Amino acid sequence: DVKVTQSSRYLVKRTGEKVFLECVQDMDHENMFWYRQDPGLGLRLIYFSYDVKMKEKGDIPEGYSVSREKKERFSLILESASTNQTSMYLCASRDRGTTTEAFFGQGTRLTVV
Amino acid sequence: AQTVTQSQPEMSVQEAETVTLSCTYDTSESDYYLFWYKQPPSRQMILVIRQEAYKQQNATENRFSVNFQKAAKSFSLKISDSQLGDAAMYFCAYRAIQGAQKLVFGQGTRLTINP
């Protein structure tokens, strides 16, 4: 079974802190994604990566950056956390190819106080 | 840009009854995939069903089926014989075949099953 693991289920950080959200997948997938989930807005794409050291901005990249130094790991970085970044963050991975499906982690609920 | 719209924030159904969740989307592409994902309280997103746009036949997975109307850009999910375990958030999603192939999600519908 494909496994996508996010390092924390719940996280509380202070405004201005630098925050790292880690995601690891164990199926050698090329594509990895970070989404943000908010009530009434669904899931919105922050960043994605289709290979090591490659990254592309999604729909809402402001205030975020990402790092992909190894194929299995995709990190989301909040350079200076703000209260409007309080949200659920979901990581996903998918193999290359048009017919493959995406697999999701269990989410990190981040609260910025 | 592609968009996905779910106009029903909440739905409820009696156990064993049938319920239909609505989804519309907008795209200029002719070939793409559509998905329904389920997110139970555990937060784990689970793929329920997938439809390839080039296939005219509606996809079916056990109690779950879709009504895919390509010209109308409509993609509804029908759940038959609803069970308590079906209670969850349901998300409709679109993915292009070309380009970035990212998933574009709707706003979600919270489904409650009444015993």
Side-chain angles (χ1 to χ4, degrees):
Chain A
D1 277 355
V2 173
K3 196 162 186 180
V4 180
T5 304
Q6 294 182 230
S7 53
S8 305
R9 279 181 67 85
Y10 299 93
L11 212 52
V12 180
K13 294 293 182 179
R14 294 195 179 278
T15 300
E17 275 193 78
K18 190 169 185 174
V19 181
F20 293 85
L21 302 184
E22 306 285 348
C23 176
V24 177
Q25 50 96 0
D26 65 359
M27 283 300 290
D28 204 36
H29 288 170
E30 283 83 5
N31 300 316
M32 295 189 75
F33 306 83
W34 274 107
Y35 287 89
R36 171 176 171 159
Q37 181 180 353
D38 298 290
L41 297 177
L43 280 73
R44 294 176 292 166
L45 183 65
I46 305 171
Y47 267 96
F48 66 99
S49 168
Y50 50 88
D51 205 346
V52 176
K53 296 190 185 295
M54 305 301 288
K55 61 184 178 183
E56 294 268 351
K57 291 181 180 179
D59 300 314
I60 52 165
E62 296 78 18
Y64 304 93
S65 62
V66 290
S67 172
R68 192 160 181 208
E69 296 295 318
K70 293 185 177 181
K71 192 174 186 179
E72 67 269 18
R73 185 180 297 269
F74 191 35
S75 303
L76 179 68
I77 304 157
L78 287 65
E79 296 290 342
S80 178
S82 63
T83 55
N84 63 13
Q85 292 177 310
T86 291
S87 188
M88 171 80 78
Y89 291 87
L90 286 165
C91 175
S93 76
R94 188 170 68 83
D95 202 359
R96 190 172 292 158
T98 57
T99 61
T100 59
E101 69 173 272
F103 295 87
F104 286 82
Q106 285 195 290
T108 296
R109 189 174 296 280
L110 172 67
T111 302
V112 183
V113 299
Chain B
Q2 295 89 1
T3 58
V4 177
T5 302
Q6 294 177 248
S7 58
Q8 305 154 316
E10 297 182 348
M11 294 281 286
S12 64
V13 64
Q14 290 295 125
E15 194 176 2
E17 298 286 304
T18 294
V19 64
T20 298
L21 308 184
S22 301
C23 172
T24 58
Y25 60 95
D26 190 27
T27 183
S28 57
E29 302 290 329
S30 60
D31 209 2
Y32 46 85
Y33 291 104
L34 295 166
F35 306 85
W36 279 98
Y37 279 90
K38 169 185 177 181
Q39 187 183 45
S42 68
R43 300 180 345 204
Q44 183 68 57
M45 294 282 276
I46 302 164
L47 179 63
V48 174
I49 199 163
R50 179 174 81 176
Q51 175 79 43
E52 290 89 347
Y54 64 87
K55 289 187 179 178
Q56 293 186 338
Q57 187 172 4
N58 290 323
T60 299
E61 288 286 342
N62 300 314
R63 298 182 295 107
F64 299 86
S65 61
V66 298
N67 184 1
F68 173 48
Q69 302 288 328
K70 191 173 183 180
K73 294 180 182 173
S74 170
F75 183 61
S76 61
L77 175 71
K78 185 171 83 171
I79 306 174
S80 304
D81 185 25
S82 297
Q83 300 176 0
L84 294 178
D86 294 333
M89 283 290 290
Y90 286 81
F91 292 97
C92 179
Y94 164 100
R95 177 161 67 84
I97 288 181
Q98 301 298 327
Q101 299 182 24
K102 62 182 181 180
L103 280 167
V104 179
F105 287 87
Q107 299 88 338
T109 298
R110 182 172 300 281
L111 178 65
T112 301
I113 313 294
N114 300 312

